[in-house]
Amino acid sequence: MAVTFGLKMTDRSESIEYFLEDIEHHGRNDRTAAAYRRVLFEFDDFLDERFGKAPAEASYRDCMSFTHDLRSEYAESTVASYASYLNRFYGYLVRVGRHDENPMELVLEEMSESIESNPSRRDVSLEEMRNFVATIHHPLHRAIILTMLKTGIRSGELCNIDLIDLHLDHEARSWNPRAQISDESNSLYISAEHTYAEESGGIVRTESNKRKRETIIPIDSELETALVRWLAIRPEAMSRSEPLFVGTVERWGKRLTIDTVHHIVEQYTRDYGWFRTGGGAAENVTPHYFRHFFTTHLRDRTGDRGVVKYLRGDVASDIIDTYTHNWGDRVRETYLDRIYSLTDHR
């Protein structure tokens, strides 16, 4: 039997308790921990009553069955949130050797299309998003929010970006970008190697990049401007890995965390009337909503679902292989021609 934190996991709920202890150690707030606890024990009860299994014994079909059962009681946006909790839980079980693979990965892949097109989400027009962006003046905050809106990356992926992952064709760049983008000016590299609690790029990562393959995302002039302005005031990093985004207040010079990113976004969306305590995914605008906005608007503007899937990092080997080999001809040109502007009316 696998051993975690020096103890044998014999009780079916013990693996959940260890996971909850783990996320608390990594700074999750009480509200977040309580949400995880509620969902995971609901899942535990479901497995026990329906299949007589513990979470560590669950298969893809068991997880899919639970997800299907949730739909009879909750809105699709809530189901998506619950599924993400289970995904993080199983990622933990894999890391500590309690599960061979994450059975939720395939469930999330199959859910992604319906989640992103869920009509119950707040419908923010391009003009409304431009007006919102106009309220953000702090160079770090503006760079963070524009990066998510212009690339569709997840908040954890944003936190994992190092300076070498960025190639700017600008005098502000004083570093050598990694080999994968050395010939691709104005581009952003999102690695598939960063995994929670594992060493990558010379440091132990506190967040995972949820991609099976690397992704190279073009940078347009608008995002370039925001990044250059941020680099002009960026504090010296307190890490040899040189993270792109570091704190300017409490965590001066230290790599940003997901909680910090969410806090920054929430302070602006709350002031703008787009966030309410107790509001769900259908109402609140969060970092994940920016990914939804990117997907919806770029897909509508390009009519090319493959390009959007590649940029999002969705798992689809045939699509990724095709667009990786044609990055300069297809992805870059399509993106730069069709990406929406958030500071003017292009």
Side-chain angles (χ1 to χ4, degrees):
M1 179 173 286
V3 177
T4 306
F5 301 120
L7 298 172
K8 291 185 177 180
M9 293 190 284
T10 54
D11 186 289
R12 71 173 58 253
S13 65
E14 239 179 330
S15 59
I16 296 176
E17 292 292 355
Y18 286 148
F19 169 73
L20 293 172
E21 181 179 325
D22 183 73
I23 64 173
E24 288 171 0
H25 284 164
H26 285 87
R28 301 296 179 185
N29 59 43
D30 292 342
R31 186 176 62 183
T32 299
Y36 273 99
R37 177 180 295 275
R38 183 179 66 256
V39 173
L40 292 175
F41 276 101
E42 183 176 341
F43 177 58
D44 187 30
D45 290 342
F46 173 85
L47 290 176
D48 186 27
E49 295 172 5
R50 186 73 62 87
F51 306 111
K53 293 182 177 181
E57 302 168 321
S59 66
Y60 152 73
R61 290 186 178 276
D62 300 328
C63 292
M64 181 60 81
S65 180
F66 176 67
T67 303
H68 178 73
D69 195 69
L70 289 174
R71 289 192 172 99
S72 66
E73 186 175 353
Y74 301 105
E76 190 67 27
S77 57
T78 302
V79 174
S81 296
Y82 284 14
S84 70
Y85 294 169
L86 288 177
N87 182 57
R88 190 177 184 92
F89 168 65
Y90 275 110
Y92 164 81
L93 292 190
V94 171
R95 290 194 302 274
V96 300
R98 187 59 177 168
H99 216 285
D100 293 334
E101 60 182 1
N102 182 346
M104 281 301 298
E105 286 187 347
L106 184 56
V107 175
L108 288 180
E109 287 174 29
E110 295 179 352
M111 290 174 64
S112 63
E113 277 298 312
S114 60
I115 291 172
E116 291 302 330
S117 61
N118 182 3
S120 67
R121 287 182 181 272
R122 178 190 286 271
D123 183 18
V124 175
S125 69
L126 188 54
E127 185 63 28
E128 289 174 314
M129 190 61 78
R130 286 179 181 133
N131 292 336
F132 167 72
V133 168
T135 68
I136 306 167
H137 303 293
H138 189 291
L140 171 60
H141 302 170
R142 189 175 179 85
I144 287 172
I145 291 174
L146 276 177
T147 297
M148 289 189 287
L149 281 169
K150 285 300 191 96
T151 68
I153 62 174
R154 302 171 177 88
S155 53
E157 293 169 341
L158 179 135
C159 294
N160 273 329
I161 298 173
D162 297 327
L163 278 179
I164 64 170
D165 298 323
L166 177 65
H167 185 172
L168 289 180
D169 188 19
H170 190 280
E171 62 183 12
R173 178 172 64 83
S174 58
W175 64 93
N176 293 320
R178 64 170 63 246
Q180 292 91 330
I181 56 173
S182 61
D183 295 327
E184 304 290 355
S185 62
N186 283 5
S187 60
L188 181 66
Y189 177 87
I190 307 298
S191 173
E193 297 180 358
H194 301 326
T195 302
Y196 170 84
E198 294 185 8
E199 185 172 326
S200 179
I203 64 165
V204 175
R205 300 285 167 168
T206 58
E207 303 298 340
S208 295
N209 283 8
K210 301 176 182 179
R211 294 172 186 248
K212 294 296 185 182
R213 298 282 296 274
E214 64 186 34
T215 309
I216 299 175
I217 305 175
I219 293 175
D220 72 346
S221 59
E222 192 170 75
L223 180 54
E224 178 190 17
T225 297
L227 291 172
V228 167
R229 288 177 178 172
W230 156 239
L231 289 168
I233 68 160
R234 172 180 171 271
E236 182 177 350
M238 306 292 287
S239 169
R240 65 177 182 273
S241 63
E242 287 287 337
L244 172 60
F245 295 112
V246 298
T248 57
V249 188
E250 292 90 351
R251 295 179 55 83
W252 179 269
K254 294 183 179 180
R255 184 183 299 273
L256 294 189
T257 65
I258 281 182
D259 285 346
T260 302
V261 173
H262 279 250
H263 175 72
I264 289 171
V265 172
E266 181 183 326
Q267 75 181 56
Y268 286 101
T269 55
R270 186 183 292 277
D271 289 345
Y272 203 71
W274 283 357
F275 191 97
R276 177 180 63 85
T277 300
E283 177 181 359
N284 289 343
V285 172
T286 64
H288 186 71
Y289 182 89
F290 293 154
R291 182 168 167 83
H292 164 74
F293 182 91
F294 170 85
T295 301
T296 301
H297 285 269
L298 189 59
R299 188 169 55 200
D300 289 347
R301 291 168 70 91
T302 64
D304 192 329
R305 302 172 73 86
V307 167
V308 177
K309 279 180 172 289
Y310 167 77
L311 293 169
R312 281 171 46 91
D314 289 345
V315 177
S317 59
D318 56 336
I319 289 173
I320 290 181
D321 287 342
T322 297
Y323 289 97
T324 297
H325 294 146
N326 293 283
W327 190 85
D329 298 331
R330 182 83 176 268
V331 175
R332 187 177 183 85
E333 290 179 8
T334 300
Y335 177 90
L336 293 178
D337 185 52
R338 297 296 182 180
I339 187 62
Y340 42 81
S341 173
L342 293 168
T343 59
D344 60 39
H345 295 268
R346 173 164 59 90

